[in-house]
Amino acid sequence: MGLSFVFLAFFFCQLVCSSSILVCPKHQSISLVKFKETLNVDPSASPRCYPKTNSWNTSRDCCLWDGVICDEMTGHVIELDLSCSQLVGTIDSNSSLFQLTHLQRLNLSWNEFRGCHISPEFGRFSSLTHLDFLNSNFSGQIPSEISRLSRLEFFRLSPSSRTDLRLAAHDFKLLLQNLTQLRELHLTSVNISSTIPLNFSSHLTTLKLGGTGLYGIIPESIFHLPNLETLYLSSNYQLSGSFPKTKWNSSASLMKLDLSRVNFSDNLPESLGYLTSLNSLSLTNCNLRGLIPESLSNLTRIQSLFLQDNSLNGTIPSWVFSLPSLRRLFLSNNHFSGQLEEFKTSSLEEIILGSNQLQGHVPKSIQNVVNLTGLDLSNNNFSGNVDVSLFSNLKNLLGVVLSNNKISLINENKGSFTWPESLNVLLLAACEVKEWEFLRSAKYLWELDLSNNKLQGRIPDWAWSNWLSLITLDISNNMLTSIDSIPLLTIDTIDLRSNLLQGSLPIPPNSTRNFLISDNNLSEEIPSSICNSTSLFMLDLGRNNLKGAIPQCLGTITTLEVLDMRHNNLSGNLPTTFSNGSSLRSLNLHGNKLEGKIPQSLANCKELQVLDLGDNHLVDTFPMWLGALPKLKVLSLRANKFHGSIQPSTMETIFPELQIIDLSQNAFSGNLPASLFQHLKGMRTIDPSKEAPRYRGDTYYKDSITVTTKGLVREIVRILYLYTAVDLSSNKFGGQIPSIMGDLIALRVLNLSHNGLQGRIPPSFGDLSSVESLDLSGNQLSGEIPQQLVSLTSLSFLNLSHNHLRGCIPQGPQSHTFESNSYEGNDGLRGFPVSKSCGDDQVSDTNDTISGPDDEESDSEFWSDFWKAALMGYGSGLCIGLSILYFMLSTGNPKWLVRIIEDLEHNIMMRRRKKQREQRNNRRRNNHF
């Protein structure tokens, strides 16, 4: 009986268990299949994943399908994990997915739903505890219905790239208010644009809100969440806060803290030392200052310490290099000084200390940090010899960066030193490197920087063989004399600028995108094979002796962004082959012998920002059609043979972004183009937020242009994008200066000199509040200098010489800083700093009588002489001055005395002006430093 009962119970259990396996309701199976059919499988969407839905077959119970988990008792689908399943498509509100009403966990992460909005129907999953949309590229507004998922414990919605995924500020607060069971919230890179609410779930262990546009003050209550383990608020640039001054996170649960690029503007607090469970601390670019507090030595579990890009100072405490668990130390771009202590821990893997003021010798104990993978000591003041043997035992080393110190890299044991095979990055700029031999064992480099050293002659053949894996090679600013070929098949960037290279131009490999070989002595013609490098972004051949024509095929390389061939001996016509789709942003052919006209094909270069064709032999009229280029900022045609008048344009908008136009030293004629000036929107507003033009690879290249400013020819480089200038000098323009030029308030330089301009200086020039250099010399201007020019407080150079100006020179804060040669050649001008005094031309009669000419002249001379005598009193003593005044009144104004007074007045004023100029220069130097 007992045995029969056991068998019966076993049979019953098998029956129940077998029936519980095959209980997937048919309607749920159908819903899953329909959901699958609305989506596509694209292996390129997630190359490292596999399509789970391929296993879904209606001949099998859906509870056995890949990614599907059912309730053991009811058979309902309660979990659906389709993460990384190569799914592509959209999930509409009528999707059969929403018929799976018993879902508790839903994971759609790492798929491609680009352009798909998150349906409000997701809010119907009332039993949901886990919802994961990580890196699935949903877009649009996150529906408020998500906040109805009151049982949600895990919510992750961080996009993988820039998508327009938004969460309204009100919905953000509602979500935090309703989801009281929430343990993990991941919203990194979702656009929230809100302050941080106060009502967070006390169950939170992970809070990731980096790059969400949060602003305002971080509530201190966040730091006191009792169960918090991970807090990421990084890259919220308008967010600020302060650390608690007392103990916080009392349970010491916090393990990861990232507040990078949040504004604290404070010292590192001692209270950080209470976070004894912390293994990762990231406070990059937080405006922190002061010393590293001693309390951080309590962080014995810390593995990653990121404090770079702040204003921390003092010495780096010795205990930092003794923290037992520390693996990654990033302290670059601060103000640390003093010497480095010896390294006392072998756990360190990355030591990044670049761009400080550290000094002394590089610690030899670096050779004992056997797990080291990356070392950056660049841009400091380290000195002495550094033997490459220091690195021979570091078998895991990936990168060494020692550039721009005062060290000398040596190799005492020549031939026996071997770099680790793992080494990929070696940056040794300005390290007094004189020979190649120490590199012989470095065979797997990706990036090599030997710039600003003392390498001479040729690159050895074995080096080319060893460098086959190189992506970036910089040997600029050395003394190399020849390179026949560059046999590097995977190279991306080659920088050979500022050497002594001679002969023909070496052709870069087809893979090259940035090729810079300017400032050498290369000669001969540019071979057309240069165009085989069809991936070129940047080609800099400037300042050589290259001759012949520019290959026409260069215009057909649509990837080319920068083409710089300035200061060579190139001749012939410009390329006429610039094609549609051109990426060209900067074209600089300044200082050659090019002829002909500007090719109309340049109109295809819609991205063009800088065009410098100056100092050539071009013969053409003004190319008004270039005004259709929407991004053109710089146009220089100076020193050519352009001619004719500048005719009004029929286009509605021309040169909308132009900031620099230089047409000087040509033969343009007619009136100044008033219709052109009224279109120059880029010069009519002052925008301090303007950014420099950016190119792929622009770490290596900066736009520059030659301009005439403050009477000198200068090359403007770094501030080119902020510079605003109009130079029409040395042409044949006539007529009057259009008053509309006063609307160009962003101008820093205005040069209209050496033309045939007539009439008066427009009073509207007083509105040029940013102008620093104003040159109107060598024209036929007449009338008085407008009093409005006194308001130009930025003006540091003024030249009005050789015109027909008359009257009093306006006096103001800046006028005393100008030399007399600013006004020479204008016989009618009076007042400081020219020698003639400037009194009132008339004295009004208070009795309403009209003074006769003789009376006016007599009164004018009297008051002029009166002030001259008073001035002599100021300069020579009151008694002497009054005596001279009495003598003049009693003798009838002798002319010889007037001349003495005039000379004395001039000498006194010149001394005063010199003193003022010295004071101003001192102030400028102080401001600069």
Side-chain angles (χ1 to χ4, degrees), residues 818-839:
F818 301 130
E819 304 280 352
S820 59
N821 58 10
S822 294
Y823 306 99
E824 66 184 7
N826 292 281
D827 293 336
L829 285 178
R830 301 190 303 277
F832 182 81
V834 299
S835 60
K836 296 181 180 179
S837 64
C838 188

Side-chain angles (χ1 to χ4, degrees), residues 588-795:
N588 195 329
L589 302 176
H590 189 104
N592 283 284
K593 298 176 182 178
L594 299 169
E595 301 173 339
K597 296 184 176 184
I598 300 178
Q600 291 276 341
S601 63
L602 271 177
N604 294 323
C605 303
K606 302 298 184 184
E607 301 297 320
L608 195 61
Q609 298 182 27
V610 177
L611 177 59
D612 188 350
L613 304 177
D615 197 11
N616 278 284
H617 301 154
L618 301 174
V619 181
D620 203 348
T621 56
F622 182 73
M624 188 64 77
W625 50 269
L626 286 174
L629 296 177
K631 299 182 181 180
L632 191 64
K633 297 179 183 296
V634 178
L635 175 62
S636 177
L637 305 177
R638 62 180 288 144
N640 278 282
K641 299 178 182 178
F642 288 92
H643 57 87
S645 60
I646 299 179
Q647 298 296 323
S649 172
T650 58
M651 292 183 286
E652 204 170 299
T653 301
I654 55 172
F655 299 111
E657 297 291 327
L658 201 64
Q659 294 174 212
I660 296 177
I661 180 170
D662 188 349
L663 308 181
S664 62
Q665 301 179 54
N666 281 285
F668 289 112
S669 58
N671 293 333
L672 291 176
S675 61
L676 173 62
F677 300 137
Q678 71 183 17
H679 283 91
L680 302 180
K681 294 180 181 179
M683 302 185 189
R684 296 163 74 95
T685 56
I686 299 174
D687 183 5
S689 66
K690 286 180 179 176
E691 296 185 354
R694 294 182 179 180
Y695 313 111
R696 288 171 284 189
D698 66 356
T699 304
Y700 299 92
Y701 184 86
K702 301 294 182 184
D703 280 311
S704 64
I705 190 172
T706 301
V707 299
T708 301
T709 175
K710 303 180 182 179
L712 302 172
V713 178
R714 298 175 55 197
E715 186 173 37
I716 305 299
V717 186
R718 297 184 183 276
I719 62 169
L720 178 60
Y721 64 100
L722 290 175
Y723 211 77
T724 310
V726 171
D727 190 347
L728 307 180
S729 63
S730 301
N731 279 284
K732 299 177 181 179
F733 289 114
Q736 297 188 352
I737 300 175
S739 61
I740 197 173
M741 294 193 76
D743 293 345
L744 308 181
I745 60 173
L747 274 181
R748 294 193 179 198
V749 175
L750 177 58
N751 191 347
L752 304 177
S753 65
H754 302 291
N755 281 285
L757 301 174
Q758 301 174 347
R760 296 175 177 269
I761 299 174
S764 62
F765 275 17
D767 297 328
L768 302 177
S769 57
S770 300
V771 73
E772 300 171 7
S773 176
L774 177 61
D775 192 346
L776 305 178
S777 62
N779 282 287
Q780 300 175 30
L781 300 172
S782 58
E784 297 184 350
I785 301 174
Q787 186 67 30
Q788 289 84 346
L789 297 190
V790 171
S791 65
L792 301 180
T793 55
S794 297
L795 192 64

Side-chain angles (χ1 to χ4, degrees), residues 501-506 517 520-524 544-546 568:
L501 297 174
Q502 300 177 354
S504 59
L505 175 70
I517 196 169
N520 279 283
N521 295 320
L522 298 173
S523 56
E524 303 183 20
N544 279 283
N545 294 310
L546 298 168
N568 279 282

